[in-house]
């Protein structure tokens, strides 16, 4: 019999579609869940859940979906348009060598980059230990006793130091911060942006002439400064302290291995960028800023702090300290809106220090300094004047009329130098520099003359001035891991102590822990993405420019708005930039008096904190019994404050996980009163392809790229928070540090033009892979999964809020408050979920005593059913307590989570069995995740705040 004729096709599209890999439920599972909900189709579900008034009238105008290999080929071609040169531009950004064991086993490892923020400390002990190492490293090198677990970048860290100083001194509006004109220019730009709404004057000048007075809150110096000089700031510190002001030092961790610490000259705060500790340049980010303070400021320090406490066994255990949630407690009275960090990058920097140890770091620093000294001596032999001050890695060379020719000669050799103006050139060397690089540099400076040989310059004397004499990094962790074998095992041991998406669903409401596909992550390690300096000239970064242009256009289309800025490098920064855009627009109209910000009482705590930072007065708006904005109260307050109304800050779908019917009316009420509408994009995962901020009537929306658009959480960062705006706000978007975008006058909110530029490739890849149809289907399935969970759990836990047709949006809130009378708290359920192998959903937000559950589109029905089975089993355990079959104090919930040590120990004093404790679900027998700590005593840790590794003396002979 003749063989069948091959099937003819009209397309060469790859049959393995990415969208089918990204979306968890199969078509059969989708059909089964729809049947459970009584919905005939996904379209019918959306029609019942999403108000018709805001539904998109046509599909998104986006390129068709690509398969993974086609996407990678296009992205590789774009990366190939970048030219990674030898960029000796400095300004806090330096070439570095990432140890391969750290690159492969941390940066490129989903066991590290898909973890959530360590709010469930019992299943985050590994990452918390690494962040404690980071804090210890920073505290030791700066000489200050308290450090946090990182901030977003150096510029915003300086701004946080400014607000800390204002809060400490009590000198706020009309106060002055003195800023050295030899600070990095991007830091000065961010400070000016952040100071203006607060009424703080930024006085930039020569630090040697600073004369603090009764209005001074602090002075900021760079140490070493932006042109390389290592100054002595002791006298300035004394003057500041006499005036009741603070000394802030922006510094360099590698330099601090050789030169005296900021604490040695009286600095109250030290900050900077840890990027050169093994984190690629990435065209400006993401990088972990560091921040350290004197002990008296530990309750004012912004961001997150890892502290040492104890667990139920009395064993030392780590957790985040109380003040890391300050903005949720103090709201508009908070001194910072920071609710994130750069955890993944802080972990990389910490591991770099662990791997090299103090001797290795000092050796690297000496090598960098030697290269700078050889170069400086070579320039002197060429007759060029080199500054005679002490320096570490940066040399200022006075070249006069020859500067242009020298810059051009260096560029021909693939070297980028910093033009300091007036014929001066800055050269900042780093650990990537070898003998051939210095020879190339000298050849460029020599011009037609013969450059001195490196051999003749080898005896160059150190020129960093006074040497550091105190010890640092004495803790054993910085001495034990010299071999790659030891380092590999340490990384894996810590990874094994943390639950991540590699283990199970992390159903956190408002946090969207979806699949971060491997193909989306691959570009991060490509040289054309990783090795670009943020101040590289435009001809070197054409690929980045095109990636940014396309991503901005796609995000504008998705949001229904006109223009996008990619500069904000966290959701909190996006909130801030959005409010500044509104404020700038109103000021341009002569409406400087508009300063009232309406915020629903259900809002995320960063909203009121951000409004306060933007110089606005917060007026709360009530919510009704269904959790919706009370439109009558909104209209009344819009009219009450009509003459002063600046904006409304609103989250959509609501913070309660519902598509509010009145969103268009709410926006109209604010517009009618002369205000603008800022939409928090935390819940954009429920909008894409179905509705948009523009369709709802918003004027500006920030986007959490680390939520909806697949940048992973990284254990607590990095994040990205770009803003999209309507056309009238476009001129007030963040501007460029390079001065290239003269049409945008919104100041600078981050230290580089595109914030954490390298991770933008992840969101670019996600949108390219999904296309219009895939993005829309992802949103539909996100709604389906959330409603399926709500339906399954409703007989056991009340679902607190629902929209029309009894449906929720992409997340649901289950109410546990009814169990409190029987001694069961929401925390008990959260900790018991750990025994089932799950991270708890969001606890007690936006309603105390509840859990907000968001399964995302990436989880299969099987995983959803497993989670529901766990929650239902826990309900059964609660009922046993309620009915008296289980002791109120001695039951599996009150003692959860249960460690292997507890379950396997000789002593078991509970009225329930070990098997129920450890293996409460059928699946836990084959895929058990053991918590590394028993329940942690947070109150003890806050009463006894310890946020650095114990000293060597705590280890006896030092081998422990």
């Amino acid at each position: 019999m003749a063989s069948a004729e091959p099937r003819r096709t009209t397309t060469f599209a790859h049959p393995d579609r990415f969208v089918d890999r990204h979306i968890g439920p199969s078509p059969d599972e989708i059909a089964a869940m729809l049947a459970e909900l009584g919905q005939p189709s996904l379209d019918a579900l959306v029609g019942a859940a999403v108000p018709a008034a805001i539904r998109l009238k046509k599909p998104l105008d986006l390129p068709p979906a690509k398969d993974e290999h086609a996407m990678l080929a296009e992205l590789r071609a774009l990366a190939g348009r970048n030219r990674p040169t030898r960029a000796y531009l400095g300004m806090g950004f330096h070439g570095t060598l990432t140890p391969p064991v750290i690159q492969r086993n941390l940066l490129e490892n989903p066991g590290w980059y898909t973890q959530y923020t360590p709010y469930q400390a019992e299943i985050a002990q590994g990452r918390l230990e690494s962040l404690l190492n980071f804090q210890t490293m920073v505290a030791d090198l700066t000489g200050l006793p308290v450090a946090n677990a990182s901030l977003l970048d150096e510029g915003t860290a300086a701004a946080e130091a400014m607000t800390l100083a204002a809060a400490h001194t009590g000198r706020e509006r009309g106060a002055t911060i003195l800023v050295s004109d030899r600070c990095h220019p991007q830091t000065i730009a961010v400070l000016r942006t952040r100071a203006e709404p607060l009424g703080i004057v930024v006085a930039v000048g020569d630090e040697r002439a600073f004369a603090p007075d009764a209005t001074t809150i602090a002075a900021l110096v760079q140490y070493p400064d932006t042109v390389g000089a290592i100054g002595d700031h002791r006298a300035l510190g004394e003057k500041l302290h006499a005036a009741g002001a603070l000394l802030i030092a922006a510094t360099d961790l590698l330099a601090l291995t050789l030169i005296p610490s900021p604490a040695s000259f009286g600095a109250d705060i030290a900050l900077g960028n840890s990027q050169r500790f093994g984190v690629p340049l990435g065209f400006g980010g993401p990088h972990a800023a560091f921040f350290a303070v004197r002990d008296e400021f530990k309750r004012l320090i912004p961001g997150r702090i890892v502290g040492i406490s104890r667990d139920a066994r009395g064993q030392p255990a780590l957790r985040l300290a109380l003040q890391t949630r300050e903005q949720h407690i103090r709201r508009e009275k908070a001194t910072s809106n920071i609710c994130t960090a750069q955890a993944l990058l802080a972990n990389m920097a910490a591991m770099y220090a662990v791997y090299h140890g103090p001797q290795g770091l000092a050796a690297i620093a000496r090598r960098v300094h030697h290269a700078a000294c050889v170069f400086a001596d070579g320039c002197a032999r060429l007759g060029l004047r080199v500054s005679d001050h002490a320096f570490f890695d940066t040399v200022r060379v006075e070249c006069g009329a020859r500067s242009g020719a020298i810059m051009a000669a260096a560029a021909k050799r693939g070297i980028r130098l910093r033009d300091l103006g007036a014929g001066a050139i800055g050269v900042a060397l780093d650990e990537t520099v070898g003998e051939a690089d210095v020879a190339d540099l000298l050849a460029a400076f020599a011009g037609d003359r013969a450059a001195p040989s490196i051999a003749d310059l080898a005896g160059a004397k150190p020129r960093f001035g006074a040497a550091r004499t105190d010890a640092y990094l004495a803790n054993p962790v910085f001495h034990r891991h010299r071999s790659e074998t030891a380092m590999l095992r340490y990384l894996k041991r810590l990874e094994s102590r943390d639950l991540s998406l590699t283990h199970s669903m992390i159903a956190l409401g408002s946090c969207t822990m979806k699949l971060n596909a491997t193909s989306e992550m691959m570009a991060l390690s490509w040289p054309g993405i990783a090795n670009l300096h943020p101040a590289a000239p435009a001809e070197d970064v054409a690929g980045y420019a095109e990636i940014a242009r396309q991503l901005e256009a796609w995000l504008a289309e998705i949001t229904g708005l006109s223009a996008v800025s990619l500069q904000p490098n966290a959701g909190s920064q996006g909130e801030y930039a959005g409010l500044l855009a509104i404020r700038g627009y109103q000021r341009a109209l002569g409406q400087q008096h508009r300063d009232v910000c309406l915020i629903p009482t259900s809002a995320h705590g960063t909203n009121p904190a951000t409004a306060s930072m933007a110089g606005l007065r917060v007026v709360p708006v009530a919510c009704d019994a269904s959790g919706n904005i009370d439109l009558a109260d909104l209209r009344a307050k819009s009219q009450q404050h009509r003459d002063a109304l600046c904006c409304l800050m609103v989250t959509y779908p609501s913070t309660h996980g519902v598509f509010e019917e009145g969103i268009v009316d709410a926006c109209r009420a604010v517009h009618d009163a002369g205000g603008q509408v800022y939409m928090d994009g935390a819940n954009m995962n429920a909008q894409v392809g179905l509705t948009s901020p523009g369709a709802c009537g918003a004027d500006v929306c920030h986007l959490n790229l680390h939520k909806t658009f697949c940048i992973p959480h990284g254990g607590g960062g990095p994040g990205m928070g770009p803003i999209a705006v309507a056309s009238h706000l476009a001129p007030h978007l963040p501007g460029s540090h390079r001065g290239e975008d003269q049409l945008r006058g919104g100041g600078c909110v981050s230290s580089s033009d595109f914030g954490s530029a390298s991770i933008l490739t992840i969101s670019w890849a996600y949108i390219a892979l999904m296309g219009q149809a895939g993005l829309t289907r992802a949103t539909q399935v996100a709604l389906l999964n959330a409603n399926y969970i709500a339906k399954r759990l409703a007989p056991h836990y009340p679902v607190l809020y629902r929209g029309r047709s009894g449906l929720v949006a992409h997340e649901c809130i289950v109410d546990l408050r009814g169990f409190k009378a029987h001694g069961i708290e929401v925390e008990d359920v959260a900790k018991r979920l750990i025994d089932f192998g799950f991270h708890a959903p969001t606890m007690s937000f936006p309603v105390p005593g509840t859990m907000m559950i968001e399964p995302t589109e990436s989880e299969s029905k099987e995983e959803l059913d497993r989670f529901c089975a766990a929650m239902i089993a826990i309900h059964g355990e609660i009922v046993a307590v309620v009915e008296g079959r289980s002791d109120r104090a001695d039951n599996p919930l009150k003692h959860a989570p249960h460690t292997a040590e507890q379950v396997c120990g000789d002593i078991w004093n509970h009225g329930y069995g070990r098997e129920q404790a450890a293996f409460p679900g059928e699946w836990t027998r084959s895929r058990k995740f053991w918590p590394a700590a028993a329940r942690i005593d947070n109150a003890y840790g806050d009463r006894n705040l310890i946020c650095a590794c114990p000293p060597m003396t705590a280890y006896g002979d030092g081998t422990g």
Side-chain angles (χ1 to χ4, degrees):
M1 186 175 68
S3 61
E5 187 172 308
R7 182 168 62 91
R8 296 172 186 258
T9 61
T10 57
T11 177
F12 287 96
H14 200 285
D16 188 7
R17 302 191 316 154
F18 175 80
V19 65
D20 298 329
R21 304 291 187 181
H22 176 80
I23 293 176
S26 68
D28 288 344
E29 289 178 327
I30 289 173
M33 288 191 285
L34 285 168
E36 180 80 12
L37 295 171
Q39 297 289 340
S41 67
L42 285 172
D43 286 338
L45 173 68
V46 169
V50 184
I54 62 172
R55 289 290 305 278
L56 298 182
K57 303 300 187 289
K58 59 184 180 64
L60 295 172
D61 183 13
L62 295 172
K66 294 178 171 61
D67 65 69
E68 289 181 287
H69 298 286
M71 180 278 293
L72 286 170
E74 182 173 344
L75 188 54
R76 196 177 293 278
L78 287 169
R81 293 173 59 185
N82 293 329
R83 296 194 301 180
T85 58
R86 290 174 285 178
Y88 304 141
L89 297 162
M91 294 181 282
F93 302 99
H94 302 272
T96 187
L97 301 174
T98 307
V101 66
I102 295 174
Q103 176 175 321
R104 176 62 59 87
N105 296 289
L106 198 162
L107 174 63
E108 299 173 352
N109 181 354
W112 281 90
Y113 66 68
T114 68
Q115 303 157 340
Y116 182 58
T117 304
Y119 294 137
Q120 293 295 324
E122 294 85 357
I123 49 175
Q125 289 296 294
R127 177 177 8 138
L128 286 165
E129 180 174 327
S130 182
L131 292 173
L132 187 71
N133 293 343
F134 178 84
Q135 292 177 182
T136 303
M137 171 188 80
V138 171
D140 280 8
L141 290 175
T142 62
L144 294 167
V146 181
N148 68 15
S150 78
L151 291 176
L152 302 175
D153 62 26
E154 184 168 342
T156 55
E160 295 289 340
M162 173 182 69
T163 54
L164 187 158
H168 171 71
T169 61
R171 305 167 184 172
E172 296 182 352
R173 288 204 167 268
T176 300
I177 181 170
L178 308 172
V179 180
S180 170
D181 55 11
R182 287 178 288 189
C183 287
H184 296 319
Q186 71 273 14
T187 299
I188 297 174
V190 173
L191 270 177
R192 282 177 164 149
T193 299
R194 290 277 293 268
E196 191 274 332
L198 300 174
I200 296 174
V201 177
V202 177
V204 180
D206 187 339
E207 66 210 48
R208 293 166 294 186
F210 282 168
D213 58 27
T215 70
T216 305
I217 57 173
L220 173 67
V221 296
Q222 196 85 42
Y223 174 76
D225 69 29
T226 195
V227 294
I230 299 173
D232 183 347
H233 304 294
R234 283 174 293 183
L236 174 60
E238 290 169 0
K239 287 193 292 184
L240 288 162
H241 294 151
L246 306 184
L247 175 58
I248 306 166
T251 189
D252 181 310
L253 292 178
L254 193 64
L256 294 182
T257 65
L258 300 183
I259 65 176
S261 70
S264 70
F265 55 75
D268 302 284
I269 304 171
L271 57 92
N273 184 359
S274 65
Q275 174 267 318
R276 72 187 311 168
F277 274 27
V279 180
L281 284 162
F283 197 37
H287 307 141
F290 61 87
F291 195 100
V293 297
R294 289 198 284 125
D295 188 72
E296 67 185 88
F297 303 126
K298 64 188 177 187
R299 300 290 174 177
L300 290 174
I301 193 169
R304 297 172 181 155
I305 299 179
V306 177
I308 301 174
S309 187
R310 64 187 182 189
D311 70 4
R313 304 166 298 167
Q315 299 296 311
L318 307 174
R319 94 287 180 247
L320 293 180
L322 175 65
Q323 66 268 38
T324 61
R325 304 291 281 177
E326 180 202 33
Q327 74 280 357
H328 292 279
I329 300 166
R330 301 190 66 210
R331 299 178 75 79
E332 69 271 15
K333 294 183 175 62
T335 56
S336 172
N337 70 345
I338 294 295
C339 69
T340 187
Q342 296 282 25
L344 184 70
L345 301 314
N347 286 331
M348 288 184 68
M351 290 303 175
Y352 181 92
V354 167
Y355 192 49
H356 290 296
Q359 294 83 8
L361 292 177
I364 293 168
R366 284 192 293 270
R367 181 177 177 274
V368 171
H369 180 64
H370 180 67
C373 292
V374 167
F375 168 69
D377 285 1
C379 287
R381 292 197 188 186
L382 290 169
L384 299 170
R385 189 164 71 85
V386 177
S387 298
D388 57 5
H389 53 238
F391 61 80
F392 170 58
D393 62 0
T394 300
V395 181
R396 177 189 175 105
V397 187
E398 306 292 340
C399 304
R402 293 185 53 214
S403 63
I406 291 172
M407 297 273 288
K412 286 184 179 179
R413 295 173 178 271
I415 297 173
R416 298 299 186 187
L417 307 175
R418 184 179 174 193
D419 184 355
L420 298 175
I425 294 175
V427 182
L429 301 184
D430 56 56
E431 72 163 320
T432 69
V433 172
E435 184 176 319
D437 299 306
V438 179
D440 267 0
L441 268 172
L442 290 174
F445 277 79
D448 296 334
R449 301 174 57 188
S453 73
I454 301 300
D456 289 344
L457 300 167
K461 297 289 190 292
R463 294 172 61 176
F464 59 78
R468 182 165 191 161
T469 57
D470 57 317
Y472 52 84
L473 303 186
N475 189 272
V477 73
F478 299 107
H479 296 263
R480 291 174 172 162
H481 307 291
R482 293 292 80 79
S483 74
E484 181 162 336
T485 301
M487 189 68 191
L488 174 66
R489 289 173 180 163
Y490 183 57
L491 287 165
K492 287 297 179 182
R493 181 172 70 81
L494 295 192
E495 179 192 343
S496 71
R497 296 161 69 86
D498 282 24
L499 186 143
S500 70
L501 282 178
T502 65
H503 298 97
S504 59
M505 173 172 72
I506 301 178
L508 285 146
S510 266
C511 288
T512 314
M513 297 289 290
K514 63 169 72 176
L515 170 70
N516 316 118
T518 303
S519 60
E520 295 163 4
M521 305 293 293
M522 290 176 69
L524 294 179
S525 299
W526 296 348
I529 297 298
N531 297 340
L532 276 295
H533 192 286
E539 58 264 33
D540 288 352
V541 293
Y544 260 121
E546 181 60 17
I547 290 167
R549 186 195 67 78
Q550 291 184 21
L551 184 57
E552 287 176 356
W554 296 345
L555 294 176
E557 173 67 13
I558 288 167
T559 57
L561 296 167
S562 297
V564 171
S565 170
L566 300 174
Q567 189 175 118
N569 55 4
S572 58
Q573 304 303 93
E575 288 182 13
Y576 181 73
L579 294 188
L580 288 191
I582 290 172
R583 194 169 171 271
Y585 166 71
Q586 291 171 338
R587 289 194 161 208
L589 296 177
Q591 298 176 356
Q592 292 89 339
H593 57 281
R594 293 192 175 273
D595 67 345
V596 169
C597 180
L598 303 178
I599 302 179
T601 55
S602 63
H604 195 273
T606 58
N607 286 180
T610 301
S612 180
M613 287 170 54
L616 303 178
R617 291 184 289 141
V618 173
V619 173
V621 176
C623 291
D624 63 23
S626 299
N628 301 319
I629 295 174
D630 185 327
L631 286 176
D633 191 50
L634 174 65
R635 291 189 182 104
K637 285 174 177 170
S638 295
Q639 290 304 313
Q640 177 187 350
H641 300 284
R642 183 182 185 90
D643 293 338
L645 182 59
C646 175
C647 60
L648 164 71
M649 296 185 81
V650 61
T651 300
Y652 200 78
S654 74
T655 310
H656 292 133
V658 173
F659 285 103
E660 294 189 39
E661 296 288 324
I663 184 63
V664 173
D665 291 337
C667 293
R668 186 179 295 120
V670 173
H671 288 147
D672 288 348
Q676 298 282 291
V677 177
Y678 161 89
M679 183 171 283
D680 188 311
N683 293 342
M684 195 70 193
N685 203 41
Q687 290 195 44
V688 179
L690 305 182
T691 182
S692 70
C696 294
D699 301 286
V700 55
C701 176
H702 96 263
L703 298 169
N704 293 98
L705 297 190
H706 54 288
K707 294 181 180 179
T708 302
F709 297 97
C710 285
I711 292 173
H713 275 246
M720 277 291 282
I723 54 171
V725 298
S727 58
H728 62 283
L729 296 180
H732 307 285
L733 286 171
S736 169
H737 288 288
R738 305 153 176 265
E740 292 173 354
D741 192 344
Q742 301 299 325
L743 300 179
R744 295 181 174 183
C748 294
V749 296
S750 299
S751 289
S752 61
D753 287 353
F754 295 108
S756 296
S758 66
I759 59 174
L760 295 174
T761 58
I762 303 171
S763 297
W764 182 96
Y766 172 64
I767 296 172
L769 288 165
M770 295 291 281
Q772 174 272 133
L775 290 172
T776 302
R777 189 169 182 82
T779 310
Q780 292 173 328
V781 175
L783 302 185
L784 172 65
N785 283 0
N787 278 282
Y788 177 72
I789 282 184
K791 180 69 179 294
R792 285 214 57 196
L793 294 184
H796 310 279
Y797 303 91
V799 176
L800 198 52
Y801 300 110
R802 296 180 186 270
R804 68 190 181 107
S805 304
L807 297 172
V808 299
H810 64 307
E811 59 194 8
C812 62
I813 298 176
V814 296
D815 194 352
L816 305 174
R817 291 173 295 181
F819 307 129
K820 187 177 178 69
H822 303 282
I824 302 298
E825 305 280 355
V826 64
E827 184 181 31
D828 299 324
V829 177
K831 301 309 181 187
R832 184 58 170 152
L833 273 170
I834 293 173
D835 289 328
F836 286 84
F838 286 106
H839 193 293
T842 302
M843 290 194 304
S844 293
F845 174 80
V847 181
T850 66
M851 280 186 169
M852 188 194 296
I853 303 168
E854 180 182 353
T856 83
E857 71 273 15
S858 294
E859 300 298 343
S860 68
K861 180 176 180 294
E862 178 184 13
E863 185 73 354
L864 303 184
D865 285 336
R866 198 166 67 89
F867 175 80
C868 289
M871 289 293 290
I872 292 168
I874 289 171
H875 180 264
E877 294 179 338
I878 295 172
V879 170
V881 174
V882 172
E883 295 178 349
R885 292 180 285 111
S886 186
D887 187 83
R888 184 182 173 109
D890 183 27
N891 61 71
L893 289 106
K894 300 305 290 187
H895 292 287
H898 299 85
T899 66
E901 181 180 343
Q902 289 173 304
V903 173
C904 299
D906 292 336
I907 299 174
W908 183 259
N909 293 323
H910 300 299
Y912 55 94
R914 300 172 194 257
E915 186 173 18
Q916 184 183 359
F919 303 108
E922 179 184 351
W923 61 88
T924 58
R925 297 182 181 279
S926 60
R927 49 189 296 186
K928 177 68 180 177
F929 181 87
W930 291 102
R935 191 175 303 195
I936 294 172
D937 186 340
N938 291 317
Y940 176 86
D942 283 327
R943 289 194 306 270
N944 304 275
L945 186 61
I946 302 171
C947 48
C949 297
M952 285 284 283
T953 53
Y955 293 85
D957 63 1
T959 63

